[in-house]
Amino acid sequence: MGELYGEEDNEDGKMEGKKDMEKFKRKELGLSCMLNTEVGSVLAVIRRPIDPSTQYIQEENFDSSLVHSLRSLRSLIFNPQQEWRTFDPTIYLSPFLDVIQSCDVPAAATGVALSAVLKIFKVGIFDEKTPGVKEAINAVVTVVTSCQLERTDRASEDAVMMRILQVFISIMKHPASVLLTDDSVCVIVNSCFQVVQQSASRGDLLQRSARYTMHELIQIIFSRLPEIEAKSEDASESDSEDVDFDRNLDSGYGVRSAVDIFHFLCSLLNVLQILETEGYHSVDEDVQLFALVLINSAIELSGDAIGKHSKLLRMVQDDLFHHLIHYGEGSSPLVLSMICSTVLNVYHFLRRFIRLQLEAFFAFVLLRIAARGRSLQLQEVALEGIINFCRQPTFIVEAYVNYDCDPLCQNILEEIGRLLCKHSFPGAAPLTSLQMQAFEGLVILIHTIAENIDKGDSSPSGPFPVEITEYKPFWEELPKGDDLDAWVQSVRLRKAQKRKILIAGNHFNRDERKGLEYLKLSQLVSDPPNPKAYAFFFRYTHGLDKNFVGDFLGDPDEFHIQVLKEFTETFEFSGMALDNALRNYLETFRLPGESQKIQRILEAFSERFYDQQFSEIFVSKDSVLILCYSLIMLNTDQHNPQVKKKMTEEEFIKNNRAINGGKDLPREYLSELFHSIANNEITLLERSGRSIEMNPSRWIELMNRSRSMNPFILCDFDRWLGRDMFACIAGPSVAALCAFFENADEDELLEECIEGLISISRIAQYGLEDTLDELLASFCKFTTLLNPYATAEETMFTFSNDIKPKMATLAVFTLANNFGDSIRGGWRNIVDCLLKLKRLMLLPQSVIEFDTSSTADAPSHSRTESGIVTPSQEAKFGVGSHQTSGMISRFTHFLSLDSPEDAITLGMNELEQNLKIIKQCKIGNIFSNCSNLAVEALLNLGRSLIFSAAGKGQKFSTPVEEEETVGFCWDLITAIALANTHRFQAFWFFFHEYLLDVAQFPLFSPIPFAEKGIVGLFKVCLRLLSSYQVDKLPEELIFKSINLMWKLDKEILETSCQFITQSVSKIIIEYPANLQSMLGWKTVLHLLSVTGRHPEAYDQGVETLIMLMSDAIHVSKTNYAYCIDCAFSFVALKNSPLDKNLKILDLMSESVNLLTNWYKNACLESGATITVASTSSGSPIEDSKSLASLTINLFIKLGEALRKTSLARREELRNHAVLSLQRSFTLAEGLDLSSTNIINCFNLVIFAMVDDLHEKMVEYSRRENAEKEMRSMEETLKLAMELMAEVYLQYLKQIVESAGFRTFWLGLLRRMDTCMKADLGAYGDTKLQEIIPELLTKMITKMKEMEILVPKEGDDLWEITYFQIQWIAPSLKDDLFPNDFGI
């Protein structure tokens, strides 16, 4: 069974093979028939009678060999010995080629033969592997390109040319075309171009076909270039034209043909020189356009493969660019457009190799034509070319890095930016197409920078300015390596150096020494100075005074000579004629007048030129020097109008005989120099600058420089570079954008302006805050809200009926929301707009919604009249590219809804439309998200609000408007502070300084500023104290500001007494533990005492004080004195409740326990009980001393408060004060009071109280009908006398230890005597006479018991006391001194 299946498979295989064989034979037969048909066709045409009247033609009239070869081919066709693919193609091509090559056959026969060859190539009889194919295909090229037509008419000739073009295409598209030689390919292209030229005077169809074929050929040839590997010979060859590019001839055509063809295409650009003599100017432009199209195709298809072949690359660098630059400036708009496209293609693929060429193209063509072109059309084309470059992803940054940051190059990007700004700046007339085109380019440039500047991490980070801290040669370029950050910083440093160089140039032109000194100060010159630095400064700095440069270079000083040598070595004279080299050299400075200086300069030039001469004309540098002098003299002779008799050529040649080492220079060489100088003067300018035109000598110098210069740097955007490159054009860009917005009317243009504004804002985040401020200032003007001369009605009308104010308003607040971190002075304009919207009642009822959870229990004023309280939302300021679309869509939506028809459809009136616009501004987010604002931006926002609240820049029509505006500003200030309590100390110090500043304004009015301010400040204070703060600085800062507010206008303590009391009470009751600073307690208790005087605030104030002192937990050494002051102020109030006062007095006396506890704790901490008399010097003991002193001072403070209270009008209060003082002294025993402290207490408190009460009593005794008051005061004095005696006895032991005890005792007795003998006038004797003897008896008896008052030798205390008692109370003498003093 298996064998059966196997046999079947074999049968199937045989059947398939048989079918394939039959198919192959049919194909071979088909090819034979095709060849037979073509042979028959050619023979038929050959046999056709020349004369139509004759039916037959004799074949003998033609070359019999042609017919014989055709018949021989026919006999071979159907009897092939092998496959057609293995046949040598020459066998069946030769008969047809003979016909084509023959001059005797008619044109019709030539055409049919060409058709036969075309068909043979198309049907694929042979391929690249067929034997003999190389010779055959090259033979076809040779025959077809040499085809000659005889005895024919014009139509037949055109038909033959069409067939030739078709054959060219078929040959180049055939697989065997790779075997064509370079010569064959070049011949094909050349022949095709000849057809193009001939077709100019023929039919349009032939011309189009020829041009199309030429284009196809160029595409085929150059599309193969990327596949060709660069040969080593190609890489190392010289510039000579005769180098054999392809050593292996079997490899087919390659780079050599590409080079020759490209050279041919470049030469077509120069066809003007040939055609001008014939007057065919229109043809010239047509050829140039055709050549540019072909060159573009060649570059597009070759791509970067051109860079692999040095010869071809040099042709692009040299020939192509030289022609493009030379003809670019004087070309028509169409040619210029094609030139721009060509250069753009070269930039795309080969920019690494065209650094200087590209700079020259911009400098001499695009920028020059765009700035001052011959026509508007040329300017538009040049501008479009510039814009197309700006559309390239990396052109902007690469142009900046390669040119603007190179001190040896022009500022290409800066000039582009300034040119776009200049052309986009509108004039008085409507916007022109050029202005709109330039503005489009400016927006593209700005967008490109913005889109790339914040890629990746979008948070701006500095430092952005670049400082030159050390000397680095500015002409040396750091190669781009792996460390991109270091490379970027080096590029930025070179840009900073370039900027300094230009500044130094300005100084140099005013004063040579100052300019060079500035170079040293700017670290551009080493120490000691490097001659090379000065040389490059003189050589490449734009705008230098040439006279100063020439004088410096010609100076005989050794250093100046070194600079001259280095300066001359910056020139590359290789390949340059002497006169052109001298022109270039003398363009950079002006020859000085002194002959010695001229000689030194020319010697340096001659040496350099001699070293770089491209021929062996000169035998020494002396020969060059002599000829240079001769050329300068010739230049003066030929071009000085005062010279009447001009030198002839023969005279010039005669004057220069035997100067070349005793021999003559070639006559032709001297003749060329003579005519060059005679026809083109060597001009000497006063100021250096860029070359006026690109002449051949400058081009040679450029090419020489390009060989030693680093390649074009390929790089991507960097945020630092993006920031720096926009900074160069920031000012003009903002001005142009604002002016364009002001003059534009179309919605699309306005939207482009807004997009540009947002992009500039994105860039400004990176250290360009001034630019954003300038932008905001301009757009705030466009809102019409800041017009000081317009009434509210006029402003409202303009705002409602014009789209620009609305868009500007939306733009301003969009920037404030998204780029607040970068706004500085611009906040002032934003605040002014906000306040104007407030006055126009265009703000929502509540501008900002806030989180009030932390101030829920705050006073009723916590929600302001404008609806502003504390912010809660958090959002990061700054925007990246992903957020920009959202902002733009907001404007697009705005434009779509702004039409009046939409408003009518929606049923909105004018006010509702405006409110809808303002709602889109999201003004509230500015303040609700301000917690994320940078500190500097926050300071500027706060400063603007504070200054506006103080009235700066504001005009109020009514007091009500002023009060509302000031209140609104303070609400916003409060909102900012509440949102930023986490960094309060970082900004409030400056806010307080701003408050101090506004108080100094000449026309500042504290009303209502202070009243509104203190309300807001207490809200902030409550928020700060609601949580414990480790640092007490924020607390001190806010209380400084609170104190400033009430001191500005003390009336607010009355007008706002209830709110202040409520706020202070809340602090003392709820947050006393968080109140840490002395200033805080002082302010709080002071305001409590002041505002508590008012009836409406008294109850809350006194209850707060009583609660604080009753609890006593939060009474500390810090606030004790302020508590006593506050308590005294309440007690001293007239008509205050007696029970409250008595309670306060009791609390005051009980507070002595606090003093005692503090003192004892301090002593325990120091490890011993310390008395004030201790002399130890250890630090704990010193702290105890300090605490003891503080405690005594506080006790005296308490005593003085009670002493003052003892003078109150109400007797109950006075008497209770005396009793409280007595209790205080009783509790003070734990303070370990020393004799000095006790005596101080007596002097400051007790003695003072007795004296004051006695004085008051005597004063009342002098009044009529004041006996009641006098007796009341007398009763209080009685209590005071008793207090004095009791305290004396209580502390007698310490008092006696004092060295001043004798004086103290006499003072006490004197007061006893004064009160004993008080003269009460008509009211009779004082009742004190009854109590004073008792008190004296107690004191003296106690003193005797303690043996203080006893007779002692050398101590007169006993005697003095005796005499005083005898004087005060004689009745006590016998009892107290029974022995009559020992007399």
Side-chain angles (χ1 to χ4, degrees):
M1 200 68 178
E3 293 178 356
L4 180 60
Y5 286 140
E7 292 178 358
E8 290 180 358
D9 291 341
N10 292 334
E11 290 295 329
D12 292 340
K14 291 179 180 179
M15 291 295 294
E16 290 293 333
K18 187 175 182 180
K19 290 180 180 180
D20 291 341
M21 181 60 68
E22 291 178 355
K23 184 176 180 181
F24 175 75
K25 288 181 178 180
R26 286 196 301 271
K27 181 179 179 182
E28 291 289 306
L29 182 61
L31 293 175
S32 300
C33 293
M34 182 273 296
L35 288 174
N36 183 60
T37 303
E38 296 303 321
V39 169
S41 298
V42 173
L43 288 172
V45 174
I46 291 177
R47 293 192 183 100
R48 182 183 303 168
I50 299 175
D51 185 1
S53 61
T54 306
Q55 282 189 330
Y56 300 100
I57 186 170
Q58 298 296 326
E59 294 183 2
E60 289 76 9
N61 292 335
F62 299 99
D63 187 356
S64 59
S65 61
L66 296 178
V67 176
H68 178 72
S69 62
L70 289 169
R71 288 176 176 176
S72 299
L73 177 60
R74 173 175 282 181
S75 63
L76 178 66
I77 287 174
F78 292 102
N79 298 296
Q81 302 300 320
Q82 54 192 4
E83 299 177 13
W84 285 111
R85 190 174 298 277
T86 61
F87 264 95
D88 185 346
T90 306
I91 297 174
Y92 47 81
L93 284 173
S94 296
F96 300 108
L97 297 179
D98 292 341
V99 174
I100 295 171
Q101 199 172 13
S102 175
C103 300
D104 299 327
V105 299
T110 304
V112 173
L114 287 170
S115 298
V117 172
L118 179 64
K119 184 174 289 187
I120 290 172
F121 273 94
K122 284 187 175 181
V123 299
I125 298 180
F126 62 90
D127 56 23
E128 68 276 14
K129 297 180 181 180
T130 302
V133 69
K134 182 176 181 180
E135 292 75 11
I137 194 170
N138 283 284
V140 172
V141 172
T142 303
V143 171
V144 173
T145 54
S146 62
C147 174
Q148 298 182 9
L149 300 177
E150 298 293 342
R151 298 180 298 172
T152 184
D153 55 47
R154 188 165 184 170
S156 299
E157 188 175 341
D158 288 351
V160 172
M161 288 185 178
M162 292 282 287
R163 285 284 184 268
I164 291 174
L165 296 176
Q166 293 173 356
V167 171
F168 286 162
I169 293 295
S170 296
I171 292 174
M172 294 305 300
K173 288 186 175 180
H174 196 274
S177 64
V178 296
L179 301 177
L180 288 171
T181 64
D182 290 307
D183 292 336
S184 297
V185 173
C186 292
V187 169
I188 290 175
V189 173
N190 186 56
S191 300
C192 186
F193 183 73
Q194 289 178 5
V195 177
V196 172
Q197 285 183 306
Q198 295 176 15
S199 64
S201 59
R202 295 176 179 270
D204 185 62
L205 178 61
L206 179 61
Q207 185 179 20
R208 289 175 179 269
S209 298
R211 287 177 177 257
Y212 174 79
T213 302
M214 188 76 176
H215 203 173
E216 284 280 301
L217 293 175
I218 297 300
Q219 289 181 339
I220 294 170
I221 294 168
F222 282 90
S223 62
R224 186 170 178 262
L225 191 62
E227 303 172 4
I228 302 175
E229 294 184 2
K231 304 292 189 300
S232 59
E233 297 88 352
D234 182 32
S236 61
E237 57 163 325
S238 64
D239 291 336
S240 60
E241 296 288 342
D242 57 351
V243 175
D244 186 6
F245 286 82
D246 300 291
R247 305 290 177 153
N248 186 1
L249 297 179
D250 294 334
S251 63
Y253 74 93
V255 179
R256 180 182 174 186
S257 58
V259 170
D260 291 342
I261 293 171
F262 199 86
H263 182 269
F264 169 70
L265 296 179
C266 291
S267 67
L268 295 180
L269 298 175
N270 203 29
V271 74
L272 179 66
Q273 296 178 1
I274 301 173
L275 298 178
E276 273 185 348
T277 59
E278 302 175 8
Y280 298 112
H281 298 289
S282 60
V283 176
D284 167 59
E285 179 178 316
D286 186 61
V287 172
Q288 283 185 332
L289 285 172
F290 182 56
L292 287 170
V293 171
L294 298 179
I295 291 172
N296 256 333
S297 295
I299 295 173
E300 289 171 351
L301 292 169
S302 301
D304 54 5
I306 294 177
K308 301 176 182 178
H309 306 284
S310 59
K311 183 68 176 181
L312 195 56
L313 177 61
R314 281 197 297 275
M315 197 165 293
V316 173
Q317 294 172 323
D318 195 348
D319 294 19
L320 178 60
F321 264 97
H322 189 197
H323 287 97
L324 295 179
I325 293 173
H326 179 72
Y327 293 111
E329 187 176 2
S331 61
S332 67
L334 187 56
V335 172
L336 179 61
S337 177
M338 283 303 303
I339 289 176
C340 292
S341 299
T342 303
V343 177
L344 186 61
N345 277 330
V346 177
Y347 164 80
H348 182 69
F349 294 110
L350 303 170
R351 60 182 179 273
R352 289 185 61 250
F353 311 103
I354 58 167
R355 184 170 183 173
L356 292 181
Q357 290 85 346
L358 189 62
E359 178 193 17
F361 179 74
F362 272 95
F364 290 99
V365 181
L366 286 185
L367 292 174
R368 185 172 295 182
I369 295 177
R372 51 181 186 277
R374 298 191 311 273
S375 65
L376 179 62
Q377 291 80 8
L378 271 175
Q379 284 185 293
E380 289 180 346
V381 171
L383 208 57
E384 182 61 32
I386 293 173
I387 295 171
N388 285 335
F389 271 96
C390 292
R391 288 191 176 101
Q392 305 308 306
T394 60
F395 170 77
I396 294 176
V397 65
E398 288 178 348
Y400 179 76
V401 168
N402 285 278
Y403 305 121
D404 292 58
C405 293
D406 190 340
L408 311 186
C409 297
Q410 288 185 247
N411 292 327
I412 295 296
L413 182 65
E414 183 175 348
E415 291 185 23
I416 289 175
R418 293 184 181 277
L419 177 73
L420 294 174
C421 293
K422 176 184 175 182
H423 282 315
S424 63
F425 205 94
L431 294 174
T432 64
S433 59
L434 182 67
Q435 290 169 341
M436 289 189 284
Q437 185 184 22
F439 182 73
E440 178 191 2
L442 179 62
V443 171
I444 289 173
L445 190 149
I446 295 171
H447 283 338
T448 303
I449 298 176
E451 288 297 327
N452 291 278
I453 197 172
D454 52 10
K455 282 184 177 179
D457 182 13
S458 60
S459 58
S461 59
F464 295 107
V466 178
E467 297 294 336
I468 304 175
T469 57
E470 60 180 347
Y471 165 74
K472 288 186 178 180
F474 59 83
W475 60 92
E476 293 181 0
E477 187 175 47
L478 179 67
K480 183 181 178 184
D482 296 333
D483 191 349
L484 290 181
D485 290 339
W487 175 78
V488 168
Q489 294 308 316
S490 71
V491 171
R492 300 183 72 209
L493 178 63
R494 295 194 80 202
K495 179 61 178 177
Q497 290 175 326
K498 187 174 185 178
R499 194 176 297 113
K500 294 288 186 182
I501 288 172
L502 294 177
I503 297 173
N506 291 330
H507 288 303
F508 181 84
N509 290 339
R510 290 192 296 267
D511 188 322
E512 175 186 352
R513 293 183 179 179
K514 288 185 178 179
L516 300 180
E517 186 63 30
Y518 185 81
L519 287 176
K520 296 179 182 178
L521 294 175
S522 302
Q523 303 284 348
L524 296 173
V525 176
S526 61
D527 188 14
N530 182 1
K532 199 169 186 178
Y534 286 107
F536 276 87
F537 172 71
F538 292 141
R539 176 74 166 88
Y540 294 105
T541 303
H542 178 65
L544 288 185
D545 190 303
K546 291 188 173 183
N547 291 319
F548 288 162
V549 176
D551 289 337
F552 187 96
L553 296 176
D555 193 281
D557 182 79
E558 180 61 30
F559 179 75
H560 289 239
I561 294 175
Q562 293 177 9
V563 173
L564 173 62
K565 184 176 184 300
E566 294 288 350
F567 176 82
T568 308
E569 288 182 355
T570 62
F571 290 86
E572 296 291 339
F573 298 134
S574 178
M576 201 178 297
L578 178 61
D579 64 314
N580 290 331
L582 191 60
R583 291 177 197 276
N584 287 356
Y585 189 64
L586 296 180
E587 277 182 353
T588 56
F589 64 93
R590 187 178 180 88
L591 272 177
E594 298 180 24
S595 59
Q596 293 180 345
K597 290 185 177 181
I598 294 176
Q599 182 176 356
R600 275 188 290 272
I601 292 173
L602 292 182
E603 284 177 351
F605 168 79
S606 301
E607 183 176 357
R608 180 67 172 173
F609 183 83
Y610 175 77
D611 292 339
Q612 292 189 327
Q613 65 174 327
F614 63 94
S615 63
E616 301 298 331
I617 294 178
F618 298 99
V619 298
S620 69
K621 63 181 180 181
D622 293 335
S623 304
V624 180
L625 175 62
I626 296 172
L627 189 54
C628 286
Y629 271 110
S630 182
L631 290 177
I632 292 174
M633 293 172 62
L634 175 64
N635 185 72
T636 305
D637 175 87
Q638 294 292 314
H639 301 286
N640 191 334
Q642 296 179 357
V643 178
K644 302 302 180 182
K645 185 180 179 180
K646 304 296 183 182
M647 185 185 304
T648 64
E649 180 180 349
E650 289 298 327
E651 289 174 340
F652 175 73
I653 295 174
K654 182 179 178 181
N655 292 338
N656 290 285
R657 287 179 180 173
I659 65 171
N660 193 22
K663 297 181 181 180
D664 292 343
L665 289 167
R667 181 182 180 87
E668 297 78 9
Y669 186 76
L670 293 176
S671 178
E672 289 178 5
L673 292 177
F674 176 84
H675 289 291
S676 177
I677 298 296
N679 297 327
N680 188 7
E681 179 186 5
I682 298 177
T683 56
L684 302 176
L685 303 177
E686 294 293 330
R687 292 290 177 91
S688 65
R690 302 298 173 187
S691 299
I692 298 175
E693 61 181 9
M694 177 56 75
N695 55 38
S697 62
R698 293 194 186 95
W699 183 256
I700 292 173
E701 183 187 10
L702 183 145
M703 290 303 301
N704 291 335
R705 278 188 60 202
S706 67
R707 294 189 181 96
S708 60
M709 196 166 192
N710 290 333
F712 190 94
I713 301 172
L714 306 181
C715 60
D716 206 345
F717 274 86
D718 178 88
R719 64 180 53 185
W720 287 279
L721 295 179
R723 179 261 180 202
D724 292 347
M725 71 176 72
F726 182 74
C728 298
I729 58 170
S733 298
V734 170
L737 179 69
C738 296
F740 199 88
F741 181 83
E742 186 176 12
N743 288 269
D745 295 320
E746 299 178 9
D747 291 351
E748 183 179 354
L749 295 178
L750 293 176
E751 188 172 353
E752 284 187 17
C753 291
I754 298 299
E755 291 176 2
L757 176 144
I758 293 174
S759 292
I760 291 177
S761 302
R762 290 168 62 187
I763 302 170
Q765 296 177 99
Y766 298 87
L768 296 176
E769 292 81 6
D770 292 343
T771 299
L772 186 56
D773 289 341
E774 183 181 351
L775 195 63
L776 280 169
S778 298
F779 269 79
C780 284
K781 293 178 182 177
F782 297 146
T783 64
T784 69
L785 298 173
L786 303 183
N787 186 353
Y789 305 105
T791 63
E793 293 76 12
E794 292 172 342
T795 302
M796 194 69 172
F797 177 82
T798 305
F799 187 85
S800 303
N801 294 277
D802 191 354
I803 189 175
K804 285 185 184 178
K806 297 177 183 178
M807 289 192 72
T809 303
L810 183 57
V812 166
F813 288 106
T814 298
L815 297 189
N817 269 297
N818 293 280
F819 305 100
D821 275 347
S822 304
I823 301 175
R824 298 295 180 261
W827 282 117
R828 181 61 190 274
N829 303 99
I830 296 173
V831 169
D832 288 343
C833 290
L834 183 60
L835 297 181
K836 191 60 177 285
L837 290 173
K838 175 70 176 176
R839 294 178 199 171
L840 295 174
M841 296 182 292
L842 290 180
L843 291 181
Q845 186 68 25
S846 177
V847 178
I848 311 172
E849 294 297 334
F850 295 106
D851 174 20
T852 58
S853 58
S854 59
T855 56
D857 298 327
S860 58
H861 293 74
S862 61
R863 175 169 286 278
T864 62
E865 297 175 0
S866 56
I868 303 176
V869 261
T870 312
S872 61
Q873 300 180 13
E874 292 186 0
K876 182 65 179 174
F877 279 85
V879 62
S881 57
H882 61 284
Q883 295 174 279
T884 306
S885 57
M887 287 187 281
I888 300 301
S889 64
R890 187 187 308 171
F891 284 94
T892 306
H893 178 69
F894 161 77
L895 289 171
S896 65
L897 296 180
D898 190 65
S899 62
E901 294 78 6
D902 292 337
I904 294 173
T905 304
L906 296 174
M908 292 188 295
N909 57 32
E910 187 177 274
L911 179 61
E912 290 174 340
Q913 292 181 54
N914 293 335
L915 287 174
K916 185 175 181 180
I917 299 300
I918 301 304
K919 185 177 180 181
Q920 292 185 39
C921 294
K922 298 182 179 180
I923 297 174
N925 290 353
I926 299 174
F927 301 95
S928 61
N929 298 332
C930 68
S931 60
N932 297 297
L933 266 181
V935 174
E936 191 171 354
L938 191 68
L939 295 179
N940 281 277
L941 174 57
R943 183 176 183 271
S944 301
L945 289 170
I946 291 172
F947 280 27
S948 296
K952 186 174 182 180
Q954 304 297 319
K955 293 182 179 180
F956 306 109
S957 56
T958 63
V960 174
E961 183 180 272
E962 178 183 8
E963 184 174 356
E964 289 179 352
T965 302
V966 174
F968 183 66
C969 289
W970 268 110
D971 291 340
L972 295 178
I973 296 168
T974 304
I976 292 173
L978 293 176
N980 292 275
T981 53
H982 59 286
R983 51 173 178 170
F984 192 80
Q985 63 270 27
F987 70 90
W988 194 263
F989 171 82
F990 299 96
F991 276 28
H992 182 74
E993 293 296 320
Y994 302 152
L995 295 174
L996 292 174
D997 292 340
V998 301
Q1000 306 300 321
F1001 288 172
L1003 302 178
F1004 171 69
S1005 173
I1007 301 173
F1009 180 83
E1011 181 181 356
K1012 301 294 183 181
I1014 200 165
V1015 172
L1017 293 176
F1018 263 112
K1019 292 178 183 179
V1020 178
C1021 183
L1022 285 170
R1023 171 62 68 84
L1024 288 173
L1025 296 177
S1026 63
S1027 60
Y1028 179 77
Q1029 303 288 332
V1030 177
D1031 189 357
K1032 62 182 179 180
L1033 180 59
E1035 176 189 325
E1036 293 178 347
L1037 289 172
I1038 192 64
F1039 279 114
K1040 280 184 181 180
S1041 300
I1042 291 174
N1043 285 328
L1044 175 63
M1045 284 299 104
W1046 69 261
K1047 289 178 181 177
L1048 287 176
D1049 180 20
K1050 295 186 179 181
E1051 291 183 4
I1052 65 173
L1053 297 178
E1054 297 181 3
T1055 56
S1056 303
C1057 63
Q1058 193 170 3
F1059 170 78
I1060 295 174
T1061 303
Q1062 290 174 350
S1063 300
V1064 169
S1065 298
K1066 183 177 179 64
I1067 293 173
I1068 294 176
I1069 294 172
E1070 297 187 14
Y1071 313 124
N1074 299 334
L1075 193 59
Q1076 306 175 64
S1077 68
M1078 183 180 296
L1079 178 62
W1081 278 108
K1082 179 181 180 180
T1083 304
V1084 165
L1085 292 171
H1086 174 73
L1087 291 176
L1088 183 67
S1089 65
V1090 175
T1091 56
R1093 299 172 185 173
H1094 300 276
E1096 61 270 24
Y1098 174 81
D1099 290 338
Q1100 185 174 5
V1102 74
E1103 289 297 333
T1104 300
L1105 176 65
I1106 291 174
M1107 184 178 297
L1108 174 65
M1109 297 190 68
S1110 298
D1111 191 7
I1113 296 175
H1114 301 293
V1115 178
S1116 64
K1117 300 181 288 295
T1118 302
N1119 63 12
Y1120 181 84
Y1122 307 128
C1123 291
I1124 298 302
D1125 287 338
C1126 183
F1128 171 73
S1129 65
F1130 275 103
V1131 172
L1133 289 176
K1134 297 179 181 179
N1135 302 321
S1136 56
L1138 182 60
D1139 58 333
K1140 301 291 185 183
N1141 292 340
L1142 297 180
K1143 176 65 174 177
I1144 293 172
L1145 290 174
D1146 290 339
L1147 292 172
M1148 291 172 69
S1149 62
E1150 292 174 2
S1151 67
V1152 179
N1153 290 323
L1154 294 175
L1155 299 177
T1156 304
N1157 291 334
W1158 297 336
Y1159 178 75
K1160 290 181 178 179
N1161 291 335
C1163 292
L1164 291 174
E1165 291 177 3
S1166 64
T1169 301
I1170 306 298
T1171 63
V1172 178
S1174 174
T1175 59
S1176 174
S1177 59
S1179 59
I1181 298 178
E1182 289 178 356
D1183 292 340
S1184 298
K1185 287 183 179 181
S1186 175
L1187 181 58
S1189 177
L1190 174 63
T1191 306
I1192 299 304
N1193 291 335
L1194 294 176
F1195 179 75
I1196 294 174
K1197 179 79 174 180
L1198 171 64
E1200 289 179 334
L1202 294 173
R1203 173 186 67 79
K1204 294 176 183 177
T1205 309
S1206 67
L1207 300 176
R1209 294 177 62 97
R1210 288 182 289 184
E1211 182 179 3
E1212 297 87 347
L1213 188 60
R1214 292 198 308 272
N1215 294 343
H1216 202 84
V1218 175
L1219 294 176
S1220 297
L1221 182 60
Q1222 183 176 355
R1223 175 171 173 75
S1224 299
F1225 274 100
T1226 302
L1227 296 174
E1229 289 184 354
L1231 295 177
D1232 294 334
L1233 298 174
S1234 66
S1235 58
T1236 303
N1237 293 330
I1238 293 298
I1239 292 175
N1240 284 337
C1241 291
F1242 267 90
N1243 291 331
L1244 296 174
V1245 180
I1246 299 176
F1247 287 168
M1249 179 177 64
V1250 171
D1251 294 342
D1252 292 340
L1253 289 171
H1254 174 266
E1255 183 180 354
K1256 283 286 186 181
M1257 182 185 69
V1258 173
E1259 180 183 346
Y1260 281 121
S1261 69
R1262 302 290 188 269
R1263 299 179 185 177
E1264 295 181 358
N1265 302 321
E1267 182 177 5
K1268 181 179 180 182
E1269 289 81 358
M1270 186 273 295
R1271 293 301 175 187
S1272 174
M1273 193 62 67
E1274 182 183 40
E1275 185 64 28
T1276 304
L1277 179 57
K1278 175 184 175 183
L1279 293 175
M1281 297 297 291
E1282 292 175 348
L1283 167 66
M1284 183 174 64
E1286 289 183 8
V1287 174
Y1288 174 77
L1289 295 175
Q1290 181 181 354
Y1291 293 98
L1292 180 58
K1293 183 178 179 180
Q1294 292 94 321
I1295 295 173
V1296 172
E1297 295 176 357
S1298 173
F1301 172 70
R1302 180 178 180 278
T1303 304
F1304 171 79
W1305 172 245
L1306 291 177
L1308 189 148
L1309 293 177
R1310 180 176 59 79
R1311 287 171 174 79
M1312 289 287 187
D1313 178 59
T1314 301
C1315 295
M1316 185 73 176
K1317 298 177 179 179
D1319 182 9
L1320 302 182
Y1323 298 123
D1325 297 331
T1326 175
K1327 297 179 181 179
L1328 295 175
Q1329 294 176 354
E1330 300 174 359
I1331 190 64
I1332 289 176
E1334 295 179 6
L1335 298 177
L1336 286 173
T1337 302
K1338 285 183 181 181
M1339 291 188 290
I1340 293 175
T1341 303
K1342 182 68 173 179
M1343 292 171 69
K1344 286 182 177 180
E1345 291 176 358
M1346 297 177 64
E1347 297 183 353
I1348 297 171
L1349 189 62
V1350 293
K1352 294 180 182 178
E1353 185 176 353
D1355 186 359
D1356 60 351
L1357 183 64
W1358 175 272
E1359 180 181 358
I1360 293 174
T1361 304
Y1362 172 78
F1363 285 117
Q1364 289 292 329
I1365 294 300
Q1366 188 177 11
W1367 177 259
I1368 298 170
S1371 60
L1372 298 178
K1373 181 183 67 171
D1374 294 337
D1375 295 334
L1376 297 176
F1377 302 96
N1379 297 327
D1380 295 332
F1381 183 51
I1383 299 176

